Amino acid sequence: MSNHSNQAILLVHCLDKKGLIQVITKFLSDHNGNIVDLDEHVEKSAEVFFFRVQWEMEGFDLDRNEIHSAFEKEVASKHDMTWQIHFADQKLRMAIFVSKSSHCLYDILSRYYSGEWNIEIPLIVSNHQLHKQIGDRYNIPFHYFEVNGMNKSEVELNQLKLLKEHKVDFIILARYMQILSSDFIAEFRNRIINIHHSFLPAFAGAKPYHRAYERGVKVIGATSHYVTEDLDDGPIIEQDVVKISHKDSVDTLIRKGKDLEKIVLSRAIWAHIQRKTLVYRNKTIVFD
Amino acid sequence: MSNHSNQAILLVHCLDKKGLIQVITKFLSDHNGNIVDLDEHVEKSAEVFFFRVQWEMEGFDLDRNEIHSAFEKEVASKHDMTWQIHFADQKLRMAIFVSKSSHCLYDILSRYYSGEWNIEIPLIVSNHQLHKQIGDRYNIPFHYFEVNGMNKSEVELNQLKLLKEHKVDFIILARYMQILSSDFIAEFRNRIINIHHSFLPAFAGAKPYHRAYERGVKVIGATSHYVTEDLDDGPIIEQDVVKISHKDSVDTLIRKGKDLEKIVLSRAIWAHIQRKTLVYRNKTIVFD
Amino acid sequence: MSNHSNQAILLVHCLDKKGLIQVITKFLSDHNGNIVDLDEHVEKSAEVFFFRVQWEMEGFDLDRNEIHSAFEKEVASKHDMTWQIHFADQKLRMAIFVSKSSHCLYDILSRYYSGEWNIEIPLIVSNHQLHKQIGDRYNIPFHYFEVNGMNKSEVELNQLKLLKEHKVDFIILARYMQILSSDFIAEFRNRIINIHHSFLPAFAGAKPYHRAYERGVKVIGATSHYVTEDLDDGPIIEQDVVKISHKDSVDTLIRKGKDLEKIVLSRAIWAHIQRKTLVYRNKTIVFD
Amino acid sequence: MSNHSNQAILLVHCLDKKGLIQVITKFLSDHNGNIVDLDEHVEKSAEVFFFRVQWEMEGFDLDRNEIHSAFEKEVASKHDMTWQIHFADQKLRMAIFVSKSSHCLYDILSRYYSGEWNIEIPLIVSNHQLHKQIGDRYNIPFHYFEVNGMNKSEVELNQLKLLKEHKVDFIILARYMQILSSDFIAEFRNRIINIHHSFLPAFAGAKPYHRAYERGVKVIGATSHYVTEDLDDGPIIEQDVVKISHKDSVDTLIRKGKDLEKIVLSRAIWAHIQRKTLVYRNKTIVFD
């Protein structure tokens, strides 16, 4: 389905009980909404209900600024729901943070320019000058921040200021090799997506390909997750692997891993911009 | 979720229009049904609505023999729905048809005896004596039918008679090398599952591994589908592939393919016995 | 292993018989060559011997222009071998042919500029103006050829002239939607690589994603192959697939397929520039 | 290639230097051996040379008991090689150790009885009575050993005695839930194959599926490895994964994992009985 059409998306979670789907779908049909996509999940162990519904705004008898109060009053408040609403035609604004590896940056920009994603990319942030030319090549402002042992918090404050100026909705760490502070993360809770070059929880932290080589594994992987205060331990959005053999050196693992990282990160970005992800505790529901 | 608990499963399809989910979920909540699983799909191109819902019978205020008329009267008749209802604790009775290859037969019986599937296997049918001992080993009646150029329709009549005697619900062609007649298929419409040893539509018909070898493909596959009058052209339930290389001979393709056939067929059987499949035209909706 | 180091690569095939590996390795050790990689394959059915060996030129007592005659005289002529020699530090020159889809073009250029491949890309050829800006963005000459019903052979002659001027070694059809003539193909025998957006031999020809959708397959694929006179029937270099479901529309198949096409094509290019491919009859040996 | 034909297999490793392949292939051609398969690998980082060659004994001018001394004298001793020789028609004798899970046991026995593997299975060993009937069904002696906190070393001694009586070549831990002592492992160094139900090194130890569920991973895996003194840390032979989603419960992970465990274990067994595995330090070379 087109991702920039005139449609609304509602994401809900609350304690599970009877009739929840019915009350939400009743709300939509009472207001003459035509559902184009609906998915639900009940986490049995936690007895939590997760729900995503997408419907056409054309013909819907509430306009965009009426939906909030109406849904809160008629449904959410009665069932103690946590919820959010989005409109498919609102372009999300994405910032890219990158260090020295450029393969994910190139892949993201290629998808952006070929029109694969309905987003805006107002800026690239880096702790290295290295890829300024890539930003220039694509006419995207490239902001270099020199990071050293002393100035980390100051740099983050400047970065946050810049992100606010550019109205950034979410951040992609496209192989960004700096650890973000809790304060920074708190400003973009569940809106910072990282790509880690291993199948987590294996090989969290530094040099995963070297450690994979040392261990003699027969598959390598990549993991895309929302960033939390715990390094490489945030809610996982997407993972995939590729088979390797004894013939692979660290160099070939890195080469093969790059393709994996690009694909896994791009799938996670796609799920996020489709508003198909819901974070609960340290897990991610990814409606498909 | 346990597949032999006291739950009902409703499968519906009809022309798509507004409010369908709401009327069905309202029916369930009006009768105090607790939904444990719900999935829907709208085929945009055909404007057809597909729906599967599973709910707990405990506390539901209609008993099993009341549901039919109630749902027909209160919902289905008003929206011209095609629908079926199942109860998760009803064990389906499955017949296995096999010829000379035994790997799928062994795999099915292993899953059956290890309790992986909640079904009954009242009989094995074969056009060869070869695997009678396997039936004996597992104490499953093995019925041999000599098939020759002359007696095909007579054999099928006897097979159908036998299947009715054993109240067989569905048939697995576990590498059964006979082509079934239209009359036979009509008796088990969408209830005969075949495994074909290629990724259909490639290499339909005879000797797919030989032809894959000849063509020099770099992946081989297997396809499980419902049997129709058109050979290897029925609605596909499940497919998977495995990578191969120039090093593979026809023999190694056959060896590697066997594992694929076992897995693909068993996934299709699982989907079928979970009542997660819906056939529409020549396609299969497989709710996951 | 680094692909621009001072190493030689020998590719051989001939009728299989005893001692072939020994005579070749003896030749290398007699001339003080240190083998860094060796792979062989015997096609049992055809009784053909395929061989690839890579060794360090440092310390080897024949220089580059002596190897030809020496190997021909001392080995190849005695065993009626078909063979070719390459030097890993010789950059291959690759031309990209593209039509309207840009995802493969972007992916190739990204890999090129991030230094993933040790090649030169002197030009892009297209039958559309559409992607001239991409060439400009990457400073690669973009050559537009208007193709119509009348001028095809004339266009091909001009293209061949251009390719010769730029000393092009091989051509990538990165979703190029024109069929090449036999004469054109003959000029670049086994040196034109196409990406087809299906798992061949399924869905050869036009609109494979539409036909995959119609058939209701549960996997889609991509195939990279050397171009021959028979459309989509050339020797396959690489194939891969991704699982899909009833939820996928033609649009989402196209979106998911793009990633597959990029990966499969890039793997084929990698194998080709590593000189790891050998074509025999209509199959490809891809040494790994 | 047929795995019970009259062929010899030589596995070698030693310090890498020039001409090693040549001296070995010269030995074979001097004695009129026809090579049917050859594979080599050089571990650059450790500068170690690994080699596997398979040749036809028919026409070879050394008989089986002459090869040892000849190869040692003419080749191995001169290059300080560690080596082993096998004959493809010698059936390996495999013992199965199992606890409560039966899926791997069933899968192994099915492959055994359908003639997929050229081996003997003289006995099944278990610390539970549970699967005695499976042994009976397949007419394989089932040996129950009651294991408690006190008698472990005594049990192992009896098991070793039994294994010697049955001339067991290697042992499969088909979901055997007992930890073997160093003494036991030393008796079958690199001849005990375990299947662990996670992609190691992730989720080593107990309840990997529960922990995978808790972590919210999007893939689960299985790993087959040779058993060493370090739990779940031995040389990996084979790994594979399957994708999962938020919809999966611990129960469905266990169900999906079973198929993975069966496939991964069977591939490892296949590699072992083909004598395609070589253990060096804590890694496994698996010639393909």
Side-chain angles (χ1 to χ4, degrees):
Chain A
M1 141 213 14
S2 156
N3 68 347
H4 35 74
S5 48
N6 181 20
Q7 300 183 339
I9 298 155
L10 178 70
L11 287 161
V12 174
H13 76 267
C14 62
L15 217 63
D16 188 33
K17 58 179 171 177
K18 287 185 184 177
L20 289 170
I21 296 168
Q22 198 268 331
V23 295
I24 300 172
T25 54
K26 184 175 188 308
F27 170 82
L28 295 177
S29 75
D30 288 351
H31 293 289
N32 201 37
N34 186 32
I35 294 171
V36 291
D37 191 34
L38 175 147
D39 205 350
E40 64 94 43
H41 172 62
V42 174
E43 190 64 49
K44 297 278 181 306
S45 53
E47 292 193 318
V48 179
F49 169 79
F50 300 93
F51 189 77
R52 182 189 188 277
V53 61
Q54 185 158 348
W55 71 93
E56 289 167 353
M57 285 300 289
E58 187 172 345
F60 195 60
D61 66 16
L62 298 170
D63 63 32
R64 293 187 179 203
N65 45 42
E66 292 172 319
I67 298 178
H68 273 86
S69 52
F71 185 73
E72 182 60 37
K73 178 163 159 299
E74 299 174 33
V75 183
S77 61
K78 297 176 182 170
H79 302 280
D80 195 16
M81 292 174 172
T82 306
W83 62 285
Q84 43 183 302
I85 192 156
H86 304 281
F87 299 98
D89 55 8
Q90 286 174 338
K91 284 192 179 189
L92 289 177
R93 295 170 65 79
M94 177 175 105
I96 306 171
F97 280 42
V98 64
S99 293
K100 287 182 172 174
S101 297
S102 64
H103 54 286
C104 288
L105 175 61
Y106 269 116
D107 190 61
I108 289 168
L109 295 179
S110 299
R111 293 169 189 275
Y112 178 49
Y113 273 92
S114 59
E116 190 174 316
W117 293 334
N118 180 42
I119 59 171
E120 295 294 345
I121 301 180
L123 77 162
I124 298 168
V125 169
S126 184
N127 57 326
H128 294 281
Q129 301 269 25
L130 188 60
H131 297 314
K132 186 179 182 322
Q133 58 151 344
I134 302 177
D136 297 345
R137 176 168 286 142
Y138 286 92
N139 313 315
I140 297 180
F142 181 93
H143 297 267
Y144 165 64
F145 291 88
E146 187 190 10
V147 183
N148 57 46
M150 322 296 292
N151 66 350
K152 182 168 173 171
S153 53
E154 176 198 341
V155 164
E156 285 195 346
L157 286 176
N158 293 330
Q159 290 174 337
L160 285 171
K161 188 162 164 300
L162 191 66
L163 295 169
K164 288 205 176 62
E165 283 167 18
H166 286 84
K167 299 186 176 53
V168 165
D169 294 302
F170 70 113
I171 299 166
I172 299 305
L173 305 185
R175 301 296 311 275
Y176 184 62
M177 296 288 108
Q178 293 287 314
I179 295 173
L180 301 171
S181 71
S182 304
D183 293 348
F184 189 103
I185 293 166
E187 292 286 323
F188 283 88
R189 177 70 57 202
N190 299 334
R191 295 187 294 139
I192 307 172
I193 296 174
N194 183 46
I195 179 71
H196 183 74
H197 38 309
S198 78
F199 46 82
L200 292 172
F203 309 123
K207 294 197 165 300
Y209 292 128
H210 291 76
R211 288 148 63 203
Y213 173 81
E214 282 311 312
R215 178 61 185 94
V217 291
K218 300 300 188 186
V219 290
I220 55 170
T223 304
S224 195
H225 62 91
Y226 287 113
V227 172
T228 62
E229 287 73 6
D230 303 313
L231 182 65
D232 298 332
D233 197 34
I236 294 170
I237 305 167
E238 172 72 9
Q239 294 184 291
D240 210 344
V241 307
V242 63
K243 301 201 116 200
I244 61 167
S245 81
H246 62 273
K247 296 186 178 183
D248 285 292
S249 63
V250 171
D251 288 348
T252 63
L253 295 191
I254 290 170
R255 186 178 62 74
K256 292 178 179 180
K258 281 179 176 178
D259 283 347
L260 210 52
E261 296 164 38
K262 283 152 51 174
I263 293 292
V264 167
L265 178 56
S266 70
R267 288 182 190 149
I269 294 172
W270 177 255
H272 184 85
I273 62 182
Q274 296 293 95
R275 283 82 163 192
K276 293 211 162 189
T277 62
L278 237 178
V279 174
Y280 180 74
R281 288 178 184 162
N282 203 46
K283 290 187 184 185
T284 307
I285 283 82
V286 182
F287 295 111
D288 91 348
Chain B
M1 140 215 9
S2 157
N3 67 347
H4 37 71
S5 47
N6 182 21
Q7 301 182 336
I9 298 155
L10 179 69
L11 288 161
V12 174
H13 74 268
C14 64
L15 218 63
D16 188 32
K17 56 180 172 177
K18 286 184 185 177
L20 288 170
I21 296 169
Q22 198 268 332
V23 296
I24 299 173
T25 54
K26 183 174 189 308
F27 170 83
L28 294 177
S29 75
D30 289 351
H31 292 289
N32 200 38
N34 187 31
I35 293 171
V36 292
D37 191 35
L38 176 147
D39 205 350
E40 64 94 43
H41 172 62
V42 174
E43 190 63 50
K44 298 280 182 303
S45 54
E47 293 193 316
V48 178
F49 169 79
F50 300 93
F51 190 76
R52 183 190 187 276
V53 61
Q54 185 158 349
W55 70 94
E56 289 167 354
M57 285 301 289
E58 188 173 343
F60 195 61
D61 67 14
L62 298 170
D63 65 30
R64 296 187 178 204
N65 44 42
E66 293 171 318
I67 298 177
H68 272 86
S69 52
F71 185 74
E72 181 61 36
K73 180 164 156 300
E74 300 174 32
V75 183
S77 59
K78 298 174 181 169
H79 303 280
D80 195 16
M81 293 175 171
T82 305
W83 62 284
Q84 42 182 305
I85 191 156
H86 304 281
F87 298 99
D89 56 6
Q90 285 175 339
K91 285 192 179 189
L92 289 176
R93 296 171 64 80
M94 176 174 105
I96 307 171
F97 281 41
V98 64
S99 293
K100 288 181 171 172
S101 298
S102 63
H103 54 285
C104 289
L105 176 61
Y106 269 116
D107 190 61
I108 289 168
L109 294 178
S110 299
R111 293 170 190 274
Y112 178 49
Y113 272 93
S114 58
E116 191 175 316
W117 293 335
N118 181 42
I119 59 170
E120 296 292 346
I121 301 180
L123 77 163
I124 299 167
V125 169
S126 185
N127 58 325
H128 295 280
Q129 300 271 22
L130 189 60
H131 298 312
K132 187 181 181 320
Q133 58 151 343
I134 303 177
D136 297 345
R137 177 168 286 143
Y138 286 91
N139 312 314
I140 298 181
F142 182 94
H143 297 268
Y144 165 65
F145 290 87
E146 188 191 10
V147 183
N148 58 44
M150 322 295 292
N151 67 349
K152 181 170 172 169
S153 54
E154 175 199 343
V155 165
E156 284 195 343
L157 285 176
N158 293 331
Q159 289 174 337
L160 285 171
K161 189 162 163 299
L162 191 65
L163 295 169
K164 289 209 174 62
E165 284 168 16
H166 286 85
K167 300 184 175 53
V168 165
D169 295 301
F170 71 112
I171 299 167
I172 300 304
L173 305 186
R175 302 294 311 274
Y176 184 63
M177 296 289 107
Q178 293 288 314
I179 295 173
L180 301 171
S181 71
S182 305
D183 293 349
F184 190 102
I185 293 167
E187 293 285 322
F188 283 88
R189 176 69 58 202
N190 298 334
R191 294 187 295 138
I192 307 173
I193 297 174
N194 183 47
I195 179 71
H196 182 74
H197 39 310
S198 79
F199 46 81
L200 292 172
F203 308 123
K207 294 199 166 299
Y209 292 128
H210 291 75
R211 287 148 63 203
Y213 174 81
E214 281 311 311
R215 178 60 185 94
V217 292
K218 300 299 187 186
V219 290
I220 55 169
T223 305
S224 194
H225 62 91
Y226 287 112
V227 172
T228 62
E229 287 72 7
D230 303 313
L231 183 64
D232 298 331
D233 197 35
I236 294 171
I237 305 168
E238 170 73 9
Q239 293 185 293
D240 209 344
V241 307
V242 63
K243 302 201 115 200
I244 61 166
S245 81
H246 62 273
K247 295 186 178 185
D248 285 292
S249 63
V250 171
D251 288 348
T252 63
L253 295 191
I254 290 169
R255 185 178 63 73
K256 292 177 178 180
K258 281 179 176 179
D259 284 347
L260 210 52
E261 295 165 38
K262 283 151 54 173
I263 293 292
V264 168
L265 178 56
S266 69
R267 288 182 191 150
I269 295 173
W270 176 256
H272 183 86
I273 62 182
Q274 296 292 97
R275 284 81 162 192
K276 293 211 162 189
T277 62
L278 238 177
V279 174
Y280 180 73
R281 287 176 185 166
N282 202 45
K283 291 187 184 185
T284 306
I285 283 83
V286 182
F287 294 111
D288 92 346
Chain C
M1 140 215 8
S2 156
N3 67 347
H4 36 73
S5 48
N6 181 19
Q7 301 182 339
I9 298 155
L10 179 69
L11 288 160
V12 174
H13 75 268
C14 62
L15 218 63
D16 188 33
K17 57 178 169 177
K18 287 185 186 178
L20 289 170
I21 295 168
Q22 200 269 330
V23 296
I24 300 173
T25 54
K26 183 175 187 310
F27 170 82
L28 295 176
S29 74
D30 288 351
H31 292 289
N32 200 38
N34 187 32
I35 293 172
V36 292
D37 191 35
L38 176 148
D39 205 350
E40 63 95 44
H41 172 63
V42 174
E43 191 63 49
K44 298 278 181 304
S45 53
E47 293 192 318
V48 178
F49 169 80
F50 299 93
F51 190 75
R52 182 189 188 276
V53 62
Q54 185 157 347
W55 71 93
E56 291 167 353
M57 286 301 289
E58 188 173 343
F60 196 60
D61 66 16
L62 298 170
D63 63 32
R64 295 187 178 204
N65 45 42
E66 294 172 319
I67 298 179
H68 273 85
S69 51
F71 185 73
E72 182 58 38
K73 177 162 157 302
E74 299 175 34
V75 184
S77 60
K78 297 176 182 169
H79 303 280
D80 195 16
M81 294 176 173
T82 306
W83 61 285
Q84 42 183 303
I85 192 155
H86 304 281
F87 299 99
D89 56 8
Q90 285 174 338
K91 284 193 180 189
L92 290 176
R93 297 171 63 79
M94 177 175 104
I96 307 171
F97 280 42
V98 64
S99 292
K100 287 183 172 173
S101 298
S102 63
H103 54 286
C104 288
L105 175 61
Y106 269 116
D107 190 61
I108 289 168
L109 294 178
S110 300
R111 293 170 189 274
Y112 179 49
Y113 273 94
S114 59
E116 190 175 316
W117 293 334
N118 180 42
I119 59 171
E120 295 293 345
I121 301 181
L123 76 164
I124 299 168
V125 169
S126 184
N127 58 325
H128 295 281
Q129 302 271 24
L130 189 59
H131 298 312
K132 187 181 183 319
Q133 58 151 342
I134 302 177
D136 297 345
R137 177 168 287 145
Y138 286 91
N139 313 315
I140 297 181
F142 181 93
H143 297 266
Y144 165 65
F145 290 88
E146 187 190 12
V147 183
N148 57 45
M150 324 294 292
N151 68 349
K152 181 169 174 172
S153 54
E154 176 199 340
V155 165
E156 285 194 344
L157 286 176
N158 293 331
Q159 290 173 338
L160 286 170
K161 188 162 165 300
L162 189 67
L163 295 169
K164 288 206 174 63
E165 283 167 17
H166 285 85
K167 300 184 174 52
V168 165
D169 295 301
F170 70 112
I171 298 167
I172 300 305
L173 305 186
R175 303 294 311 276
Y176 184 62
M177 297 289 107
Q178 293 286 316
I179 294 174
L180 301 171
S181 71
S182 305
D183 294 348
F184 190 103
I185 294 166
E187 292 286 324
F188 283 89
R189 177 68 59 203
N190 299 334
R191 295 187 293 138
I192 307 171
I193 297 175
N194 182 47
I195 179 70
H196 184 73
H197 38 310
S198 79
F199 45 82
L200 292 172
F203 308 124
K207 293 198 166 299
Y209 292 128
H210 291 75
R211 286 149 62 204
Y213 173 81
E214 281 311 312
R215 179 59 185 93
V217 292
K218 301 298 188 186
V219 290
I220 56 169
T223 304
S224 193
H225 63 91
Y226 287 112
V227 173
T228 63
E229 288 73 5
D230 303 313
L231 182 65
D232 298 331
D233 196 35
I236 294 170
I237 305 167
E238 171 73 9
Q239 293 185 291
D240 209 343
V241 307
V242 63
K243 303 202 111 199
I244 60 166
S245 80
H246 62 275
K247 295 186 178 185
D248 285 292
S249 63
V250 171
D251 288 348
T252 63
L253 295 191
I254 290 170
R255 185 177 62 74
K256 292 177 178 180
K258 282 178 174 177
D259 284 348
L260 210 52
E261 294 164 37
K262 285 152 53 174
I263 293 292
V264 167
L265 178 56
S266 69
R267 289 182 191 150
I269 294 173
W270 177 255
H272 184 85
I273 63 182
Q274 296 293 95
R275 284 81 162 193
K276 293 213 162 189
T277 63
L278 240 178
V279 174
Y280 181 72
R281 287 177 184 165
N282 203 44
K283 290 187 186 185
T284 307
I285 283 80
V286 183
F287 295 110
D288 95 346
Chain D
M1 142 214 9
S2 157
N3 66 348
H4 37 72
S5 49
N6 182 20
Q7 301 183 337
I9 298 155
L10 178 69
L11 288 160
V12 174
H13 75 268
C14 63
L15 218 62
D16 189 32
K17 57 179 170 176
K18 287 184 184 177
L20 290 170
I21 295 169
Q22 199 268 332
V23 296
I24 300 173
T25 54
K26 183 174 188 310
F27 170 82
L28 294 177
S29 75
D30 287 351
H31 293 288
N32 200 39
N34 187 31
I35 293 172
V36 292
D37 193 34
L38 177 148
D39 206 350
E40 63 95 44
H41 172 62
V42 173
E43 190 63 48
K44 299 278 182 305
S45 54
E47 293 192 317
V48 178
F49 169 79
F50 300 93
F51 190 76
R52 183 188 187 277
V53 62
Q54 185 158 347
W55 71 94
E56 289 168 354
M57 286 301 290
E58 189 173 342
F60 196 59
D61 67 15
L62 298 170
D63 65 29
R64 295 188 179 202
N65 45 42
E66 293 171 319
I67 298 178
H68 272 86
S69 50
F71 185 73
E72 181 59 38
K73 178 163 157 302
E74 300 174 34
V75 184
S77 59
K78 298 175 182 170
H79 303 280
D80 194 16
M81 293 175 171
T82 306
W83 62 284
Q84 43 182 304
I85 190 154
H86 303 281
F87 298 99
D89 56 6
Q90 284 175 339
K91 284 192 181 188
L92 289 176
R93 296 171 63 78
M94 177 175 104
I96 307 171
F97 281 41
V98 64
S99 292
K100 288 183 170 172
S101 297
S102 63
H103 56 285
C104 289
L105 176 61
Y106 269 116
D107 190 61
I108 289 168
L109 295 179
S110 299
R111 293 169 190 275
Y112 178 49
Y113 273 92
S114 59
E116 189 174 317
W117 293 335
N118 180 42
I119 60 169
E120 294 293 345
I121 301 180
L123 76 163
I124 299 167
V125 169
S126 185
N127 59 326
H128 294 281
Q129 300 272 23
L130 189 60
H131 298 312
K132 189 183 181 316
Q133 59 151 342
I134 302 177
D136 297 346
R137 175 168 287 143
Y138 286 91
N139 313 314
I140 297 180
F142 182 94
H143 297 268
Y144 164 66
F145 291 88
E146 187 191 10
V147 182
N148 57 46
M150 324 295 293
N151 68 348
K152 182 169 172 170
S153 55
E154 177 198 342
V155 164
E156 284 195 344
L157 286 175
N158 293 331
Q159 290 174 336
L160 285 170
K161 188 162 165 299
L162 191 66
L163 296 169
K164 288 205 175 63
E165 283 167 16
H166 286 84
K167 299 185 175 53
V168 165
D169 294 301
F170 70 113
I171 299 167
I172 299 305
L173 306 186
R175 300 295 311 276
Y176 183 62
M177 297 288 107
Q178 293 287 316
I179 294 173
L180 301 172
S181 71
S182 304
D183 294 347
F184 190 102
I185 293 166
E187 293 285 324
F188 283 88
R189 177 69 58 203
N190 298 334
R191 295 187 294 137
I192 307 172
I193 297 174
N194 183 46
I195 179 71
H196 182 73
H197 38 311
S198 79
F199 45 80
L200 293 172
F203 309 123
K207 294 198 165 299
Y209 291 129
H210 291 75
R211 287 149 62 204
Y213 173 81
E214 282 310 312
R215 179 60 185 92
V217 292
K218 300 300 188 185
V219 290
I220 55 169
T223 304
S224 194
H225 63 91
Y226 287 112
V227 173
T228 62
E229 288 72 6
D230 303 313
L231 183 65
D232 297 333
D233 197 35
I236 293 170
I237 306 166
E238 170 74 8
Q239 293 185 290
D240 210 343
V241 307
V242 62
K243 302 201 114 200
I244 60 167
S245 81
H246 62 273
K247 295 185 179 185
D248 284 291
S249 63
V250 171
D251 288 348
T252 63
L253 295 191
I254 289 170
R255 185 177 63 74
K256 292 176 178 180
K258 282 179 175 177
D259 284 347
L260 210 52
E261 296 164 37
K262 284 152 53 174
I263 294 292
V264 167
L265 178 56
S266 69
R267 287 182 191 151
I269 294 173
W270 177 255
H272 184 85
I273 62 182
Q274 296 292 95
R275 284 82 161 191
K276 294 213 161 187
T277 62
L278 240 177
V279 174
Y280 180 73
R281 287 179 186 162
N282 202 46
K283 290 186 183 185
T284 306
I285 284 80
V286 183
F287 295 110
D288 91 347

